[in-house]
Amino acid sequence: MIRVMLVDDQTVVRAGFRFLLEQADDIEVVAEASNGPAAVELARRHHPDVVCMDVRMPGGDGLAATREIVARGVAGEAGPTTPAVLVVTTFDLDEYVFGALEAGASGFILKDCEPEELIDAVRRLADGHGLIDQAVTRRVITEFARRTAPPQPDTDVAPQLTAREVEIVRQLARGLSNAEIAQELVVETSTVKSHLGRAMAKVGTRDRLQTVVWAYQNGLAPSSARPAH
């Protein structure tokens, strides 16, 4: 079962999301919180796999809660794990969304999404896939490049990547899917997945989106993806 925690200051929103998610036979809502501090505490107690987080809540900063939940992780039966945070917002690509992505969120979805989209998003984040829609991913990458400060490379990690892993991370930062990267590099899709998995393990990212964030922060994003300053 995928364990989900709902974080939103509106009771009716949490009730609606609980009803929708529990229609799926593989999803269980294990906790609800109405503010950021409560979310941090409940995540520690209930160790969810996915946290659906509203980042615009009075009485508690959803961005700070996202950062703390991702940084601390939670205690699971098999040892400490890091929940995937799904930002649920009424605003498309605003500063709160980007703040949450920089804080470690794995993706976002709009509150007016279809029920199937919400369920699919939770499943995909639980599987470590990050952002769901490829077109939205590319828009996020473009805007993230515009907003991102000059890179400050992680000198301890970047040199550990092989040349092929660096190339695949660069292509990922362009917004390409595994199939598109495979076509670009003339290799099998399974080869891309294997190299990308090893690269993610080395840099310490849990999904594709956070790998893109890491690439921009460490200067591995292709220069053509960055706007001129």
Side-chain angles (χ1 to χ4, degrees):
M1 293 287 283
I2 300 171
R3 299 170 61 83
V4 175
M5 181 171 74
L6 304 176
V7 186
D8 196 293
D9 62 300
Q10 298 183 42
T11 304
V12 66
V13 171
R14 299 198 308 272
F17 275 27
R18 175 184 282 272
F19 175 79
L20 294 176
L21 290 171
E22 291 189 339
Q23 301 307 300
D25 56 11
D26 59 340
I27 296 175
E28 175 188 15
V29 176
V30 297
E32 297 183 20
S34 60
N35 58 64
V40 172
E41 175 59 28
L42 288 172
R44 188 178 298 116
R45 286 165 48 190
H46 294 279
H47 43 85
D49 302 304
V50 178
V51 177
C52 295
M53 177 77 72
D54 178 6
V55 291
R56 288 175 171 266
M57 293 180 294
D61 185 354
L63 296 182
T66 295
R67 186 174 293 106
E68 189 168 353
I69 288 171
V70 171
R72 288 189 176 186
V74 296
E77 293 180 1
T81 60
T82 301
V85 176
L86 176 65
V87 175
V88 185
T89 178
T90 55
F91 298 89
D92 186 7
L93 296 182
D94 70 353
E95 66 273 17
Y96 285 90
V97 170
F98 285 95
L101 298 183
E102 291 174 327
S106 294
F108 79 95
I109 196 167
L110 299 180
K111 284 187 177 179
D112 61 357
C113 66
E114 294 297 323
E116 296 80 10
E117 293 176 319
L118 177 63
I119 292 171
D120 184 57
V122 167
R123 286 172 174 160
R124 291 180 67 85
L125 261 68
D127 287 338
H129 292 303
L131 265 183
I132 300 93
D133 184 82
Q134 192 66 25
V136 174
T137 301
R138 286 174 174 150
R139 290 172 55 211
V140 168
I141 289 171
T142 299
E143 183 66 7
F144 189 82
R146 187 181 71 81
R147 292 168 177 259
T148 301
Q152 296 179 323
D154 184 341
T155 55
D156 292 332
V157 175
Q160 298 178 19
L161 300 180
T162 66
R164 178 60 86 184
E165 289 165 356
V166 167
E167 182 60 25
I168 287 175
V169 170
R170 287 184 184 277
Q171 299 300 327
L172 182 69
R174 289 177 55 202
L176 301 188
S177 66
N178 285 352
E180 290 169 332
I181 295 173
Q183 185 175 14
E184 186 90 3
L185 301 182
V186 196
V187 297
E188 296 293 330
T189 302
S190 58
T191 301
V192 173
K193 292 176 65 175
S194 178
H195 282 295
L196 182 57
R198 286 196 290 270
M200 289 167 59
K202 289 178 181 178
V203 305
T205 53
R206 65 161 286 148
D207 55 55
R208 297 169 65 87
L209 176 60
Q210 286 302 315
T211 306
V212 170
V213 172
W214 181 89
Y216 274 97
Q217 292 173 338
N218 287 271
L220 265 68
S223 58
S224 60
R226 284 187 171 276
H229 292 286

